[in-house]
Amino acid sequence: MTLCLRGEKTELPERRSTLVATLGCLTQPSTTLVDQLRCGDPRALARAISTVENRSTGWSDLLKSLFPHTGKARVIGLTGAPGAGKSTLVDQLAKHYRKENRTIGIIAVDPTSPYTGGAILGDRIRMQDHYADPGIYIRSMATRGSLGGLARATADAATVLDASGRDLVMIETVGVGQDEIDIVRLADVTVVILVPGMGDEVQTIKAGIMEIADIFVINKSDREGAERVEREIRALQSLATRKLGTINDRWTPPVVKTVASEGVGTAELAEAIADYEAYLKKENLLLKKNVENWQERLIEMLRDAMLQKVRERMDGASLARYAEEIAEHKRDPYSLVEEIVAGSDGRGGSNVQH
Ligand SMILES: Nc1nc2c(ncn2[C@@H]2O[C@H](COP(=O)(O)OP(=O)(O)O)[C@@H](O)[C@H]2O)c(=O)[nH]1
Ligand SMILES: [Mg+2]
């Protein structure tokens, strides 16, 4: 018989995973991947994330079974330029939260980091302190070859971590492109990390990023120029209207100064995160934010599913043939796409009249 305290989890959300880790599955090992994962088995967790990330056999059924167990973890997205100190800060936050006995899942999405067998080398070394601690699970996402897009793969990995009973999921991403913006938008709390002394830092990354920040961090505040960055943030804040999709939450993102390498400011950042969470709860915005997120995610999922369906009917050879016909102006792509979407496989043909 498997003893896994699923029922109790909902009553004690903050401590649910600790309960699972200590009391879950004390008897016989669980048989299904979902059970193993829910009982805190890190290998099952790794396997489940790989399955959804690579879209391996059974990925969709796995997510279906996990979904009822999700919605309890708090997802924190941290983004900023390469070298801003994101990993160092995540590391410090992880230490901080572990002292509060909260369990953590970390997803690192960083194309600039060298990958060695799925782990970011630098991060792995830095995070080694925690490796003996089953309360912290670290995973890096491959940025290439994630079927269904990086944002979706990351969201699915966060879903798996949530279902596994982690109290907090931290997602580290380089805040440069649309992909990264899409990723951090899935978070409940988004932290944007800036550093002084990188020229016109705020201006460079402001496109899209300023609006999504719930909290600003000025890391490397041991360096000169932290005050100037803060002034720049304030100046931009006074100009921009804060908007989360269609919601204006009327929140003014606080600015927290940190020296992550020394652990300075970590407690203040954790407090700012908690403040924003409390604000979201008080204003009933958590659900609204989630609804917005799901609208976006559903569109993505539908796009993937539709494309998959079309692809099943159309092999690479016919795709190449169509492309050839279009390039040779034998048919127009617009009618072709309409025909394919309508389900007539494009065979009807609509020759270009010359
Ligand atoms: N001086 C200083 N260095 C820091 C601080 N935080 C991180 N670093 C260093 O900055 C470098 C990049 O940090 P990392 O966390 O890998 O940045 P990431 O690329 O944003 O994840 C590392 O050498 C850190 O030790 C800080 O507050 N002050
Ligand atoms: Mg990093």
Side-chain angles (χ1 to χ4, degrees):
M1 198 201 86
T2 305
L3 183 76
C4 202
L5 294 178
R6 263 161 233 152
E8 281 82 342
K9 283 188 160 194
T10 44
E11 288 154 38
L12 293 163
E14 299 299 333
R15 308 293 295 272
R16 63 205 170 99
S17 42
T18 318
L19 280 170
V20 169
T22 49
L23 291 165
C25 312
L26 284 178
T27 52
Q28 280 174 11
S30 316
T31 44
T32 70
L33 183 57
V34 175
D35 280 344
Q36 288 165 354
L37 176 110
R38 300 264 303 138
C39 292
D41 178 350
R43 274 171 311 176
L45 187 54
R47 198 143 51 89
I49 295 178
S50 298
T51 303
V52 298
E53 187 185 1
N54 303 325
R55 295 290 187 257
S56 310
T57 317
W59 70 272
S60 172
D61 287 335
L62 179 62
L63 285 172
K64 282 180 211 163
S65 335
L66 292 178
F67 187 78
H69 306 294
T70 62
K72 294 174 194 115
R74 189 65 65 237
V75 182
I76 305 169
L78 299 104
T79 189
K86 298 178 294 294
S87 301
T88 317
L89 205 58
V90 166
D91 187 31
Q92 294 289 356
L93 277 175
K95 270 189 196 144
H96 177 92
Y97 288 127
R98 284 305 289 144
K99 282 189 199 133
E100 295 175 351
N101 236 339
R102 303 218 262 174
T103 54
I104 292 148
I106 297 168
I107 306 172
V109 188
D110 188 349
T112 63
S113 300
Y115 289 93
T116 52
I120 295 174
L121 189 59
D123 289 337
R124 200 167 57 170
I125 290 165
R126 197 173 304 122
M127 295 284 188
Q128 235 156 26
D129 297 0
H130 304 304
Y131 263 44
D133 178 1
I136 298 182
Y137 179 85
I138 305 162
R139 174 72 176 217
S140 66
M141 297 295 288
T143 52
R144 280 173 295 274
S146 326
L147 300 168
L150 186 57
R152 177 141 183 225
T154 309
D156 288 342
T159 296
V160 176
L161 284 165
D162 185 354
S164 80
R166 301 275 147 174
D167 299 314
L168 287 158
V169 176
M170 289 195 265
I171 303 174
E172 175 196 338
T173 163
V174 179
V176 280
Q178 187 59 45
D179 247 2
E180 282 70 26
I181 291 172
D182 287 346
I183 291 166
V184 286
R185 271 170 50 173
L186 299 171
D188 299 310
V189 183
T190 301
V191 179
V192 170
I193 300 154
L194 304 166
V195 284
M198 282 175 81
D200 215 350
E201 172 70 17
V202 178
Q203 290 294 337
T204 344
I205 71 148
K206 78 165 188 212
I209 285 283
M210 289 305 285
E211 296 95 74
I212 60 164
D214 301 317
I215 294 160
F216 285 102
V217 165
I218 305 173
N219 190 40
K220 307 200 182 182
S221 286
D222 50 328
R223 288 189 186 167
E224 219 167 295
E227 304 298 328
R228 192 177 72 96
V229 178
E230 185 169 4
R231 276 200 304 276
E232 278 185 41
I233 295 169
R234 296 294 181 214
L236 278 165
Q237 267 178 346
S238 65
L239 298 175
T241 335
R242 181 176 159 76
K243 223 168 144 200
L244 315 156
T246 58
I247 310 167
N248 180 359
D249 68 357
R250 297 176 198 287
W251 167 259
T252 306
V255 179
V256 181
K257 294 201 193 77
T258 60
V259 184
S261 48
E262 313 276 322
V264 175
T266 317
E268 286 78 1
L269 175 56
E271 205 178 302
I273 292 169
D275 281 353
Y276 184 57
E277 275 182 53
Y279 181 81
L280 286 178
K281 274 188 198 146
K282 192 174 94 203
E283 302 290 315
N284 227 354
L285 286 163
L286 214 50
L287 183 68
K288 279 190 199 152
K289 246 183 131 166
N290 258 313
V291 171
E292 292 259 336
N293 282 345
W294 276 111
Q295 280 196 25
E296 307 249 343
R297 282 182 74 176
L298 273 177
I299 290 173
E300 282 255 324
M301 286 165 75
L302 284 167
R303 191 186 293 139
D304 286 356
M306 302 282 203
L307 191 62
Q308 180 68 27
K309 226 174 157 179
V310 170
R311 282 258 163 99
E312 276 164 16
R313 292 204 312 255
M314 198 167 58
D315 56 15
S318 33
L319 190 70
R321 200 181 60 246
Y322 290 142
E324 220 174 279
E325 287 171 7
I326 296 163
E328 288 168 354
H329 277 240
K330 286 184 182 150
R331 68 189 308 160
D332 82 273
Y334 311 100
S335 314
L336 174 69
V337 166
E338 278 177 13
E339 284 164 31
I340 292 173
V341 169
S344 57
D345 290 33
R347 285 197 199 99
S350 88
N351 292 344
V352 172
Q353 303 297 313
H354 286 282

